């Protein structure tokens, strides 16, 4: 087999091909933009074709217990502290507790010690809590699919949380290898697209010039749930919230220029998901159910399968629930993929030619005006004049 994919728009990097290869001929290698793609060692390849047959972009994927239509709810975690530690309403904690209470394994996304975004395993609350909160970077799955397969073969209950393409890739891999998935629960997140790990690494170097990161939060809710409030805490004790330098990466994300090419061609940006449960922010709840929006986060949950319904029914005592529908919860990435910006090629060419600081200034509003504006605002706040001027 010469290549697993014909063009990059048809490869989401889910690792299903790597995981199924009988001769271990496939490795995931980063390209110029930092995204991982499968490369085949032609000396090991036996041309069996399993890598292309397992690809979720090229093949259909069956879900036997799928409901006729998803059940839709707005959800808040009853424990307020748990909700504040989560991106939206905290429903993920309740879902994962179902598995932890049965001594199962949960697989989710966390920062490693160097703030690289990776998929990892947890079997207790402390490990699971690292999976809370959004990470707007494509995760490195490593050998997770094979680990999950081995656990399922031993009868271990497993919860896997990932993007729609990752869930689809895992399901297709397990079905193609005739792995029993009765005790697998899949939970996918509503995804706008996965940005480049290379640019995330460049950003980390940029903000850690003076001190190493201690913690990082993409969605800091003390300033409210609506919008992207970024908080970075450093080892020297300094804490920055929404400063021009800290906002650089999130501003790059919102340009849509740094997303993986397949994100503009996503097969799973719709309501026909391959997961048991889908979760995300309930955007628009302030219009459809304003009485429940306290600006501290509301989860949207769509239950897709009978198995997912069983899980949801078992957590109802821990959450506050409001029934909704696919009309009121509909958001752009439940209709179709993110549109590819016309300036994407120019964005990457600017990066190759001039480096990270150039694109930070040109595309992410990191310029003299924004820095001065922030400094003036901070100075007014420190002397108590900011609120006065607002009034």
């Amino acid at each position: 087999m010469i290549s697993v994919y014909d063009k990059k728009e048809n490869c989401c990097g889910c690792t299903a091909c790597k995981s199924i290869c009988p001769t271990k001929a496939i490795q995931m290698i980063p390209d110029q933009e930092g995204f991982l793609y499968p490369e085949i060692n032609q000396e090991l390849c036996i041309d069996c074709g399993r890598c292309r047959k397992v690809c979720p972009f090229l093949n259909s994927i069956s879900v036997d217990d799928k409901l006729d239509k998803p059940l839709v709810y707005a959800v808040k975690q009853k424990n307020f502290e748990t909700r504040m530690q989560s991106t939206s309403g905290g429903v993920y904690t309740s879902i994962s507790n179902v598995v932890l209470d049965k001594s199962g394994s949960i697989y989710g996304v966390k920062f490693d010690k160097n703030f690289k975004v990776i998929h990892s395993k947890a079997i207790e609350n402390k490990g699971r809590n690292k999976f809370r909160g959004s990470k707007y970077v494509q995760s490195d799955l490593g050998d997770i699919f094979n680990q999950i397969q081995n656990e399922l073969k031993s009868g271990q209950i497993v919860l896997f949380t990932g993007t729609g393409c990752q869930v689809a890739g895992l399901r297709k891999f397990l079905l193609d290898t005739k792995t029993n998935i009765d005790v697998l629960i899949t939970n996918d997140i509503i995804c706008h697209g996965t940005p480049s790990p290379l640019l995330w690494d460049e950003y980390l170097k940029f903000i850690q010039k003076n001190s190493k990161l201690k913690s990082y939060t993409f969605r800091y809710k003390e300033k409210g749930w609506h919008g992207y409030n970024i908080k970075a805490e450093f080892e020297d004790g300094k804490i920055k919230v929404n400063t021009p330098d800290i906002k650089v990466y999130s501003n790059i994300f919102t340009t849509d220029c740094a997303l993986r090419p397949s994100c503009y061609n996503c097969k799973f940006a719709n309501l026909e998901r391959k997961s048991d449960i889908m979760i995300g922010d309930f955007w628009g709840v302030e219009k459809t159910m304003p009485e429940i929006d306290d600006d501290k986060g509301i989860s949207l949950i769509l239950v897709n399968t009978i198995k997912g319904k069983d899980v949801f029914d078992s957590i109802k005592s821990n959450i506050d629930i409001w029934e909704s529908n696919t009309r009121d919860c509909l958001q752009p990435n439940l209709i179709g993929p993110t549109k590819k910006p016309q300036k994407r090629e120019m964005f990457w060419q600017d990066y190759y030619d001039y480096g990270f600081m150039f694109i930070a200034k040109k595309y992410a509003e990191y310029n003299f005006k924004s820095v001065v504006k922030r400094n003036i605002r901070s100075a007014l706040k420190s002397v108590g004049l900011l609120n006065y001027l607002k009034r």
Side-chain angles (χ1 to χ4, degrees):
M1 189 67 63
I2 300 301
S3 178
V4 179
Y5 58 94
D6 298 319
K7 53 184 180 179
K8 288 186 174 181
E9 289 83 354
N10 288 334
C11 177
C12 61
C14 72
T15 74
C17 56
K18 169 182 176 286
S19 303
I20 206 169
C21 180
T23 63
K24 306 300 180 187
I26 299 176
Q27 296 297 319
M28 303 299 292
I29 307 297
D31 72 344
Q32 269 192 309
E33 296 178 356
F35 296 108
L36 296 174
Y37 288 89
E39 288 193 10
I40 301 174
N41 183 334
Q42 300 300 327
E43 294 181 359
L44 295 177
C45 179
I46 58 174
D47 207 30
C48 65
R50 297 182 73 184
C51 55
R52 290 183 70 90
K53 292 175 183 176
V54 79
C55 177
F57 262 58
L58 299 177
N59 301 277
S60 60
I61 304 164
S62 62
V63 183
D64 293 338
D65 64 338
K66 194 171 182 65
L67 299 173
D68 292 336
K69 61 180 181 178
L71 306 176
V72 186
Y73 303 96
V75 175
K76 287 182 187 178
Q77 172 71 235
K78 286 184 176 179
N79 185 303
F80 184 74
E81 182 180 351
T82 299
R83 183 153 67 107
M84 290 302 292
Q85 292 171 349
S86 306
T87 294
S88 48
V91 70
Y92 170 73
T93 298
S94 293
I95 293 171
S96 55
N97 279 342
V98 172
V99 177
L100 292 180
D101 290 345
K102 295 179 180 178
S103 300
S105 300
I106 58 174
Y107 289 83
V109 176
K110 71 173 187 179
F111 293 124
D112 71 5
K113 63 180 181 180
N114 295 315
F115 288 89
K116 180 180 178 180
V117 178
I118 63 170
H119 256 85
S120 184
K121 172 185 172 180
I123 56 173
E124 37 73 47
N125 288 340
K126 183 178 179 181
R128 182 276 311 282
N129 291 348
K130 294 178 181 179
F131 300 158
R132 290 174 175 164
S134 298
K135 287 91 177 174
Y136 296 112
V137 190
Q138 182 159 38
S139 64
D140 188 339
L141 279 156
D143 198 34
I144 292 294
F145 283 14
N146 291 120
Q147 291 180 42
I148 291 174
Q149 181 187 45
N150 291 333
E151 295 211 73
L152 293 174
K153 285 181 177 179
S154 69
Q156 179 85 331
I157 183 173
V158 173
L159 168 67
F160 175 81
T161 299
T163 58
C165 59
Q166 291 173 335
V167 168
L170 174 63
R171 180 178 285 271
K172 182 61 173 165
F173 162 69
L174 294 172
L175 291 175
D176 280 15
T177 54
K178 295 179 170 51
T179 306
N180 190 324
I181 60 173
D182 288 347
V183 289
L184 171 70
I185 301 166
T186 53
N187 171 49
D188 72 338
I189 56 174
I190 301 172
C191 177
H192 182 75
T194 54
S196 164
L198 171 64
L199 294 184
W200 172 248
D201 186 57
E202 290 270 40
Y203 167 75
L204 290 176
K205 294 174 184 175
F206 164 61
I207 63 171
Q208 294 183 100
K209 288 179 180 178
N210 298 318
S211 180
K212 289 185 177 181
L213 266 182
K214 183 179 179 181
S215 68
Y216 191 93
T217 307
F218 275 103
R219 298 283 296 281
Y220 179 57
K221 293 203 293 188
E222 292 295 336
K223 285 183 170 290
W225 171 57
H226 296 279
Y228 295 98
N229 294 302
I230 314 297
K231 178 183 178 181
E233 184 177 0
F234 296 86
E235 290 185 355
D236 64 1
K238 184 172 289 186
I239 296 174
K240 294 184 176 183
V241 179
N242 291 341
T243 55
D245 55 338
I246 296 303
K247 289 285 286 185
V248 163
Y249 184 81
S250 64
N251 288 344
I252 289 175
F253 172 58
T254 57
T255 68
D256 295 336
C257 290
L259 305 184
R260 188 182 182 99
S262 62
C263 295
Y264 311 116
N265 184 41
C266 182
K267 309 298 183 184
F268 311 102
N270 49 57
L271 292 172
E272 294 298 318
R273 313 296 269 227
K274 307 306 175 184
S275 61
D276 297 302
I277 293 171
M278 175 169 50
I279 62 174
D281 293 287
F282 201 130
W283 296 132
V285 71
E286 70 278 5
K287 298 177 182 177
T288 59
M289 290 183 276
E291 68 278 5
I292 71 171
D293 181 22
D294 59 359
D295 201 24
K296 299 300 182 184
I298 309 289
S299 291
L300 167 64
I301 180 166
L302 292 94
V303 180
N304 299 319
T305 65
I306 294 173
K307 186 190 297 181
K309 185 177 183 301
D310 290 340
V311 172
F312 184 69
D313 288 343
S314 71
I315 67 173
K316 286 183 175 179
S317 62
N318 300 317
I319 54 178
D320 293 321
I321 306 166
W322 294 265
E323 190 170 348
S324 186
N325 55 72
T326 52
R327 182 187 66 255
D328 288 345
C329 80
L330 213 55
Q331 44 193 270
N333 292 113
L334 291 178
I335 301 172
T338 298
K339 186 177 180 180
K340 181 180 177 180
Q342 292 183 345
K343 60 184 178 181
R344 187 183 191 278
E345 282 72 21
M346 181 184 293
F347 170 90
W348 280 103
Q349 196 59 54
D350 282 340
Y351 170 73
Y352 300 140
D353 291 343
Y354 307 112
F356 182 78
M357 285 307 302
F358 183 86
I359 62 170
K361 294 173 182 177
K362 182 175 179 179
Y363 299 93
E365 302 177 12
Y366 186 67
N367 49 46
F368 180 75
K369 180 179 179 181
S370 66
V371 173
V372 170
K373 183 178 178 181
R374 176 72 188 190
N375 289 340
I376 292 173
R377 182 182 177 88
S378 296
L380 291 172
K381 186 176 181 180
S382 66
V383 297
L385 288 176
L386 183 60
N387 289 334
Y388 174 77
L389 292 173
K390 283 182 177 180
R391 291 194 299 269

